[in-house]
Amino acid sequence: MILDKFSLKGKTAIVTGSNTGLGQGICRAFAEAGANVVGVSRRHSTETGEMIGSAFHNVIADLSSVEVIPSVIDQTVAKFGRVDILVNNAGIIKRQDSLEFTEENWDSVLNVNLKTVFFLTQAVAKKFVEQKSGGKIINIASMLSYQGGIRVPSYTASKSAIRGITMTLANEWAKYGINVNGIAPGYMATNNTEQLRQDGERSADILSRIPAGRWGTPDDLEGAAVFLASAASDYVNGFTLAVDGGWLGR
C-alpha cells in the first residue's frame, strides 16, 4: 500500500530546535507517523514532550558549539538504539544594516546555521554508515536560499550555503543509501519572523506577494517533512522543496 511508504514506524529521528515552531511541528508529525523522536534544544522542550509522550526524548544542547555533537549522538543511541533521520532545523537570525553588520552577528549566525549543521550532519552520516542502514537527512533552508533578503546578510549566507551543501552531500552519500534533501519554508509565523509580523508595513508587503494570502504555520511543513523522512522519497536526493504558499512562483 502506498500509504505504508510514508510510515516512520520503528525509526528514530533527531530534530534540532524542538521546543517551538517548525521544529516542534516536525517532532509531532514524526511521532504521529510512528517514529521515536529526539528533540535537541537549548531549553527544555516541555510542551513538545507533553504532545508526544514516551516516544520523545529531549537532549539539552547549545548548538552554537560543535562540542555538543558527540553527546547528541550518544544520548540518542542510548535511548532508542539507533538513528535513522536527522532534521537540521535549529537556526538564529540577526537583523542589522549590512553597512553596520558586526563580526559578532556574522559569526553567531554562521556557527549555528552552518558550521554545527555540517558537523552534526557528518556525525549522523557516519552513524548511518556504521549501521549499514542508510538514512534521511533534511536541512531546513529558507526563501533566502534563493533570494537576497534585507538586513540579514549572515542569515542569507548561511541559508544559501545550506542549499549548496544539501546538493554536495547528496552527491557524495547517495552510494551509502543516504538521502539528503532540504525544505525551504516560506514566511512562517514563528519566533524568527516576530519582528516582521509586528511591522505593519513590512508584514503587509510580504502578505501581498504570497498567493496563499497568509503566513505559513508549522502544520504546513509537516507533510513535506514526513515525505522526505520516509521511504516515499527514496529516489529524491539533493533537492530543496519550497513550502511557501506560492511565494517563489509569484
Side-chain angles (χ1 to χ4, degrees):
M1 295 289 290
I2 183 60
L3 291 181
D4 292 339
K5 289 191 174 183
F6 290 87
S7 172
L8 301 180
K9 187 176 181 180
K11 303 294 185 180
T12 296
I14 297 173
V15 181
T16 67
S18 59
N19 56 322
T20 61
L22 302 183
Q24 183 179 83
I26 292 169
C27 288
R28 184 179 62 242
F30 282 0
E32 289 177 0
N36 294 314
V37 181
V38 174
V40 182
S41 54
R42 192 167 50 182
R43 294 177 294 277
H44 287 284
S45 297
T46 304
E47 187 177 67
T48 308
E50 291 172 351
M51 289 177 178
I52 295 173
S54 61
F56 181 77
H57 178 68
N58 194 191
V59 172
I60 306 302
D62 182 353
L63 295 173
S64 64
S65 169
V66 297
E67 293 178 2
V68 302
I69 290 172
S71 176
V72 171
I73 305 294
D74 290 346
Q75 289 188 59
T76 299
V77 174
K79 178 66 178 178
F80 293 120
R82 59 183 297 108
V83 56
D84 304 283
I85 301 157
L86 169 66
V87 180
N88 287 304
N89 166 72
I92 62 173
I93 190 167
K94 299 290 184 180
R95 302 181 188 279
Q96 187 179 23
D97 288 343
S98 293
L99 283 174
E100 308 297 332
F101 208 80
T102 65
E103 184 176 1
E104 179 183 1
N105 281 348
W106 182 270
D107 288 345
S108 63
V109 171
L110 269 291
N111 282 343
V112 174
N113 293 13
L114 185 59
K115 182 178 180 180
T116 297
V117 166
F118 174 78
F119 286 105
L120 177 57
T121 301
Q122 181 190 67
V124 170
K126 287 179 178 179
K127 181 59 66 173
F128 291 162
V129 172
E130 177 187 316
Q131 294 173 169
K132 299 181 180 178
S133 61
K136 304 282 186 169
I137 295 166
I138 304 170
N139 295 320
I140 302 302
S142 167
M143 290 295 93
L144 299 188
S145 301
Y146 298 90
Q147 300 173 320
I150 298 169
R151 304 185 72 244
V152 286
S154 58
Y155 186 82
T156 301
S158 71
K159 293 302 184 179
S160 296
I162 285 296
R163 183 171 170 234
I165 65 169
T166 294
M167 292 184 281
T168 293
L169 300 180
N171 289 341
E172 290 194 40
W173 296 347
K175 64 186 178 183
Y176 299 112
I178 299 172
N179 296 74
V180 187
N181 290 291
I183 299 175
Y187 283 88
M188 297 281 171
T190 65
N191 295 343
N192 276 355
T193 62
E194 186 174 0
Q195 279 185 274
L196 292 178
R197 288 181 287 116
Q198 289 180 348
D199 183 332
E201 183 177 350
R202 185 84 172 96
S203 180
D205 285 345
I206 289 168
L207 285 172
S208 70
R209 178 171 166 173
I210 302 173
R214 65 174 177 84
W215 290 80
T217 68
D219 290 352
D220 293 314
L221 220 64
E222 292 180 5
V226 170
F227 167 63
L228 291 177
S230 72
S233 63
D234 279 353
Y235 202 59
V236 180
N237 219 356
F239 187 72
T240 296
L241 173 64
V243 181
D244 64 352
W247 173 276
L248 289 177
R250 187 63 178 262

